[in-house]
Structures are given as structure tokens and as C-alpha cells.
């Protein structure tokens, strides 16, 4: 089975990486071969070959991920951490191997720092309720940025409301770049956490995470990094970034839905109470008192998404075999190309033009509602997202109710961008 996976690796990279290693720097993505690894990309939609440009919502899955999940259910399926029987021991081994794979992907110091969650949203809620809420007092502050996903706004609002604390917002400029000077100014003696995105899902802006952590650390304020978007486009090294917490979500990392990752520095996680109670997260239970399991199990109540973790393991193997450097180069090139194609169409205005951006092109078209754009291009087999992208405050910042968004992944091509361009010309003609 390992052979099957390594065959997939070999199928898709120009410079073959060593087994288990990341692809060599300078390797390029062989897009045609990568595409052959994703079965869904061969299907048609409304009779046209699918062009999938909704990757910021969720990415498609390579065959190796589909195989890993099916193989687990076919050959191993059992509950983890509980049984002495062979299948349970194997399921536990595979689940824990996935944790080690995630640790390596994000370069955490220890698997004790890797908590499996349902998704990024759950990770942020876990930190809000178990790390921030217990010490949060009236007048305290939580700092986010103006381009957060609702997942990195609403949990903080809930805990702030309960404690009489205040949610503060670091602004962005007209291009969608974070105002670092303002962020610095807004971190004060009452700031309890800075919770900030590493890459905006609505604009594509990449934030200078290392610099943000440095600024916050100077004032002794912990940082949670929302790497939901960044993690499948670029290397996120939690030790190099020195963030206290980081969340990511499996379904954007070419893995399955229902599995996410919370990284927390061991010293932080140790001091936190459990988030959810139940099986697995305890060390002992009596009716009088329960005691908690060691890290990371203290934060994993109940039967986890075992197949999800195993699928994520295969997905991270796949990404590293292609190589994040190669992926980032390909996606930046395609983002620049898409920008040129869209800017050439009269009436289109891009939302989010930060010099530090990638993989996302958000736009509006004069006189046409984004939903109409989405519907017309869908008839051409092209999947883009329209709406507020779970980032309503960003829409408000740019004075639009919604945008259309094309978001790029490693398997997209210039030909697909050209098809989007032609479909948008059709939209323009329809509404002329
Ligand atoms: C920047 C960002 N943060 C958080 C999330 C939430 O991810 P999930 O719904 O998987 O928890 C998303 C998903 O779109 C996102 O783009």
C-alpha cells in the first residue's frame, strides 16, 4: 500500500523527492500529472469539463487520500486507544502516525502539541473557551483583523460578551493589506490575545505572521494564527513563527472534511482546562471528581475522526511530495495570470490587490450581481464562489455586499483561467 502512495508521488512531480522528504527546492508542478491524481477533475458539469476554482472553500482530493480512507475502513476499522485487540492497536497506530505526520508538516516540537479537532472553527473555539475565557475580565480586549473569517470573529465575540470584554479590530488598507502600525498601536495592556489570519479567504492577502508575533511578544501577548488558507499554499512552521496557537482544517489541505488541527505550545495547553468532557480525555472518573488525561488527549473527548486523521496523513504526504515551494510558485504565477485576464475585461473591479497575496481573485462586475455571475459561469462547468465568503466585515470594508471569487489550487491551469475569462465575457454580454 505504501507503494501505491509512492507511485502517486512519482506520478506528479518533475524532480522526484526522496521518500518521505519534501520535493527539492526549485521543482515545478507537473500540472497534467497532478490532475491525473484527482479523479473528480475528469468529470463534466452541465456537459462541460469541470473547471474547479472554488478551492478556498474546499479542495478536491487526490486518489491517495481516497485510497487511504477506503483502506482503513476495509482493513482496519476499530476504535482507538481502547482495545487490546489487533485491529484496535492498528487503528491507534495509524491515528497516532497521522498526528506525527501533522507535527512534522507544521514543525511542532512534539505530538503533545497537536490536537485533532473537527475543523479550524473548533480549534478557535477551543482556545477561546479554554485559554482566553477563564481569565477574561471586564475591560479586557481581544484583537483580530478586519479581514477575518467569521470563525475567527464570532467565538471571540461570544466570550467577550460573556465577560464584558471588547473585541478590537486592526484595520486593512484599500488594497487589503494589514496595517501593521495600527496592529501594534492596538495591542495594549488589556489585550489578552491577538487572533489573526495568515491568509485572507476573501482577499488572498498573506499577513506577515512572524512580524505580528514579534510585535505581540514584545508586549507579552499570545498569538493565535488562523492558517486555514495559508496551510495548503505555503509552509507554516509554528516554531519559526513562534505563535502560541495555530489552527488548520483538513478539507482545505486536500484531506477529508471533519478533521482539523489545533497546534498549541505545550506550556500553553498544559495550563488550560478541557474544552469538552467525555471518554478518552480523562485519566480517572468517580462521581465526586474526574482527572484529566495527558496532552493532547485532554482535548480530544469521545471517539475521534480516525479515518479523517488517516486521510489527512495521506493528504500531507501528497502535498509534500509535490512540494510547497513548487505549489506556491505555480499558484502565484496563475494568480498573476488570472489578475491580468480579469482586469482586461471591462467593468470588472478586483477586490483585494495587496502586493502580498496569492491564489484568490475576488471581483465585482458593474451592474451584475455576483450571484448572477456565479450562475452563468456554472452553466459553463466553472465552479467559483459568490457571496460574502463568511467574511461580511471585509465586504463592508470595501463597500460591496458580495463578490465573485476564483480561488486557485495546485491542479489549476492557464487554460482554465482562459475559460473563466471567456465565461465572464458572456456574462458581460448578457447584461450589456
Ligand atoms: C481563513 C479561514 N478561517 C477559518 C475557516 C473555517 O474553516 P472550517 O469551516 O473548516 O472550520 C475558513 C474556511 O473557509 C477560512 O477560510
Amino acid at each position: 500500500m505504501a507503494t501505491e502512495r509512492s507511485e502517486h508521488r512519482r506520478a506528479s512531480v518533475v524532480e522526484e523527492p526522496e521518500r518521505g522528504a519534501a520535493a527539492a527546492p526549485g521543482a515545478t508542478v507537473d500540472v497534467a500529472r497532478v490532475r491525473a491524481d484527482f479523479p473528480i477533475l475528469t468529470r463534466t458539469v452541465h456537459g462541460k469539463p469541470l473547471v474547479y476554482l472554488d478551492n478556498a472553500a474546499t479542495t478536491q482530493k487526490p486518489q491517495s487520500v481516497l485510497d487511504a480512507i477506503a483502506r482503513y475502513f476495509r482493513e482496519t476499522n476499530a476504535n482507538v486507544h481502547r482495545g487490546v485487540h489487533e485491529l484496535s492497536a492498528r487503528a491507534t497506530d495509524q491515528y497516532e502516525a497521522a498526528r506525527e505526520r501533522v507535527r512534522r508538516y507544521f514543525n511542532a516540537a512534539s505530538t503533545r502539541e497537536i490536537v485533532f479537532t473537527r475543523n479550524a472553527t473548533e480549534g478557535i473555539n477551543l482556545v477561546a473557551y479554554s485559554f482566553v475565557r477563564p481569565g477574561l475580565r471586564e475591560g479586557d480586549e481581544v484583537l483580530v483583523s478586519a479581514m477575518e473569517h467569521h470563525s475567527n470573529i464570532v467565538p471571540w465575540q461570544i466570550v467577550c460578551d460573556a465577560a464584558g470584554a471588547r473585541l478590537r479590530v486592526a484595520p486593512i488598507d484599500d488594497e487589503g493589506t494589514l496595517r501593521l502600525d495600527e496592529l501594534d498601536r492596538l495591542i495594549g495592556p488589556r489585550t489578552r490575545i491577538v487572533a489573526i489570519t495568515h491568509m485572507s479567504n476573501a482577499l488572498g492577502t498573506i499577513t506577515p505572521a512572524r512580524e505580528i508575533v514579534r510585535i505581540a511578544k514584545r508586549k507579552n501577548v499570545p498569538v493565535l494564527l488562523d492558517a486555514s488558507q495559508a496551510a495548503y499554499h505555503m509552509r507554516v512552521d509554528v516554531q519559526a513563527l513562534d505563535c502560541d496557537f495555530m489552527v488548520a482544517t483538513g478539507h482545505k489541505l486536500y484531506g477529508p472534511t471533519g478533521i482539523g488541527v489545533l497546534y498549541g505550545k505545550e506550556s500553553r495547553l498544559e495550563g488550560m482546562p478541557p474544552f469538552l468532557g467525555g471518554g478518552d480525555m480523562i485519566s480517572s472518573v468517580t462521581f465526586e471528581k474526574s482527572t484529566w488525561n495527558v496532552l493532547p488527549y485532554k482535548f480530544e473527548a469521545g471517539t475521534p475522526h480516525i479515518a479523517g486523521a488517516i486521510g489527512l496523513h495521506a493528504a500531507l504526504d501528497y502535498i509534500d511530495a509535490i512540494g510547497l515551494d513548487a505549489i506556491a510558485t505555480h499558484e502565484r504565477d496563475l494568480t498573476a495570470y488570472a489578475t491580468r485576464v480579469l482586469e482586461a475585461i471591462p467593468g470588472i473591479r478586483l477586490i483585494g490587490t495587496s502586493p502580498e497575496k496569492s491564489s484568490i481573485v475576488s471581483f465585482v462586475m458593474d451592474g451584475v450581481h455576483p450571484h448572477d455571475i456565479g450562475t452563468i459561469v456554472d452553466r459553463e462547468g466553472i465552479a467559483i464562489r459568490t457571496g460574502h465568503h463568511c467574511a461580511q466585515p471585509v465586504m463592508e470594508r470595501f463597500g460591496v455586499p458580495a463578490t465573485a471569487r476564483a480561488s486557485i489550487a495546485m491542479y489549476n491551469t492557464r487554460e482554465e483561467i482562459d475559460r473563466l475569462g471567456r465565461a465572464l465575457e458572456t456574462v458581460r454580454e448578457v447584461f450589456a
Side-chain angles (χ1 to χ4, degrees), residues 54 150 201-203 351 361-364 368-375 384-396 400-406:
D54 192 17
H150 295 165
N201 67 305
L203 306 173
I351 305 289
V361 186
S362 264
F363 60 96
V364 290
V368 188
H369 194 280
H371 287 301
D372 292 328
I373 300 177
T375 307
I384 60 170
R385 181 138 302 228
T386 59
H388 54 61
H389 317 296
C390 292
Q392 282 182 7
V394 181
M395 301 296 113
E396 205 180 310
V400 293
T403 72
R405 178 188 73 185

Side-chain angles (χ1 to χ4, degrees), residues 82 87 99 114 180 220 255 267 275 305 355 369-370 426:
R82 292 170 195 207
L87 292 189
R99 195 189 308 279
I114 302 296
L180 264 191
N220 273 326
S267 55
F275 174 47
H305 188 5
H369 194 280
T426 309

